[in-house]
Amino acid sequence: RLFYSLEFRESLGLLGFVSETVFTDLLFNAFNTNKDNKISFEEYIRGLRILTRGTPEEKLVLLVYWI
């Protein structure tokens, strides 16, 4: 399963995030670790885990991917 930007935004909306913000675009870029403009299911789950349960160090690495 692959998530493109629109699907990613919609999925975040279902999780309670505002789905139409700059934040979701930045999060998409952070989750898209291989920079192919789509998020694999593995990238999605890994990103959510870090966002919700990650160590401060893991969150810092995720933050670097935002840029």
Side-chain angles (χ1 to χ4, degrees):
R1 173 87 169 117
L2 297 175
F3 292 89
Y4 295 90
S5 183
L6 180 61
E7 293 172 310
F8 179 73
R9 287 180 185 162
E10 290 172 354
S11 73
L12 290 180
L14 294 172
L15 295 172
F17 290 96
V18 176
S19 60
E20 294 293 328
T21 66
V22 173
F23 175 73
T24 56
D25 291 337
L26 292 172
L27 216 50
F28 181 86
N29 291 335
F31 282 27
N32 183 27
T33 56
N34 64 358
K35 304 300 180 207
D36 63 354
N37 293 322
K38 51 190 174 237
I39 297 175
S40 68
F41 185 71
E42 181 181 302
E43 288 173 316
Y44 185 74
I45 295 301
R46 185 182 317 122
L48 285 179
R49 187 200 64 77
I50 292 170
L51 193 63
T52 59
R53 297 184 180 155
T55 66
E57 292 80 17
E58 288 175 316
K59 290 178 182 179
L60 183 61
V61 170
L62 187 65
L63 179 65
V64 169
Y65 279 108
W66 285 25
I67 301 169

